[in-house]
Amino acid sequence: MIKKKLLIILLVIVSLIFLLFIIRLISPKEIDDVTPGIFCETKYLEKSDILWVIPDFDNTAISENASWCKHILSLNKTLGMHGIMHAYDEFLVDRNNEYLYRGIKIFEDCFGFRPEMFKPPQLKISDSNTKLIEGNNLKLKMNFNQLVHKVYHCNDEPEFVKNKVIDWV
Ligand SMILES: [Zn+2]
């Protein structure tokens, strides 16, 4: 009897993994860390459906780079905001409206519209920052999103990307 139970449990686990694989295969692909200061191969940008943009990486506002903004817009993708500066634990430190607005403004100056989605760097965010994001009508994307979507990073080594079975099918 115990053997049979174990077999059923194993079967359920295998089915769930398979289901997750299928969901990831058909759900929109995403790429994180899109910003002029981080090298990103165009073919990976083109393969992704959602681009997660860092507005002020390395103290360089994306809005200052008009040709980059134009290029990203020309790809015709869904764009979300990925942190403001992408500093380590950026949204574990409590931030205020002023901090958030600066990022929104840079994003808006670059692309001509306000971001509607937000994903914190390293998927780390404090409770008070969660309220700040949601209070400003930004949809917060967290772990569940990361699980059901294939997510890539701009600075991934191409060889490494090639070898990942689940990625870039
Ligand atoms: Zn990131």
Side-chain angles (χ1 to χ4, degrees):
M1 273 324 257
I2 290 182
K3 256 190 178 174
K4 206 177 172 187
K5 263 190 190 164
L6 270 174
L7 199 72
I8 291 172
I9 291 171
L10 199 71
L11 215 74
V12 168
I13 292 172
V14 169
S15 315
L16 283 177
I17 292 172
F18 182 71
L19 189 71
L20 187 63
F21 182 80
I22 297 297
I23 291 172
R24 285 167 62 103
L25 202 65
I26 57 174
S27 65
K29 297 177 187 68
E30 309 193 350
I31 190 158
D32 283 6
D33 302 347
V34 178
T35 200
I38 297 176
F39 174 74
C40 205
E41 283 201 53
T42 306
K43 63 177 174 182
Y44 295 143
L45 290 174
E46 283 171 351
K47 275 187 183 182
S48 303
D49 304 292
I50 303 170
L51 314 184
W52 287 101
V53 175
I54 309 168
D56 194 21
F57 183 70
D58 237 359
N59 277 318
T60 310
I62 52 172
S63 50
E64 286 165 18
N65 193 336
S67 64
W68 183 86
C69 297
K70 217 174 133 190
H71 168 66
I72 294 298
L73 277 173
S74 76
L75 298 171
N76 214 8
K77 306 290 186 182
T78 301
L79 306 176
M81 191 158 81
H82 183 44
I84 310 295
M85 303 181 79
H86 204 285
Y88 186 69
D89 283 349
E90 184 178 24
F91 278 82
L92 278 184
V93 180
D94 284 344
R95 303 295 180 181
N96 56 19
N97 274 322
E98 198 187 342
Y99 188 83
L100 183 65
Y101 291 167
R102 198 174 58 84
I104 291 174
K105 171 95 170 55
I106 293 170
F107 185 106
E108 204 171 358
D109 286 348
C110 180
F111 301 123
F113 58 89
R114 194 182 180 279
E116 289 174 0
M117 301 186 298
F118 182 87
K119 178 153 76 176
Q122 299 97 31
L123 299 177
K124 287 180 187 165
I125 189 161
S126 68
D127 289 345
S128 101
N129 285 336
T130 299
K131 283 187 199 123
L132 175 73
I133 295 296
E134 291 176 345
N136 280 287
N137 287 323
L138 286 160
K139 258 183 257 151
L140 187 61
K141 299 287 182 176
M142 292 295 291
N143 300 53
F144 183 70
N145 175 75
Q146 212 78 355
L147 183 71
V148 297
H149 291 78
K150 278 198 277 185
V151 181
Y152 311 108
H153 290 83
C154 277
N155 48 1
D156 273 348
E157 291 288 324
E159 285 305 314
F160 179 58
V161 171
K162 239 188 279 166
N163 292 333
K164 270 192 268 182
V165 179
I166 207 160
D167 289 353
W168 291 121
V169 178

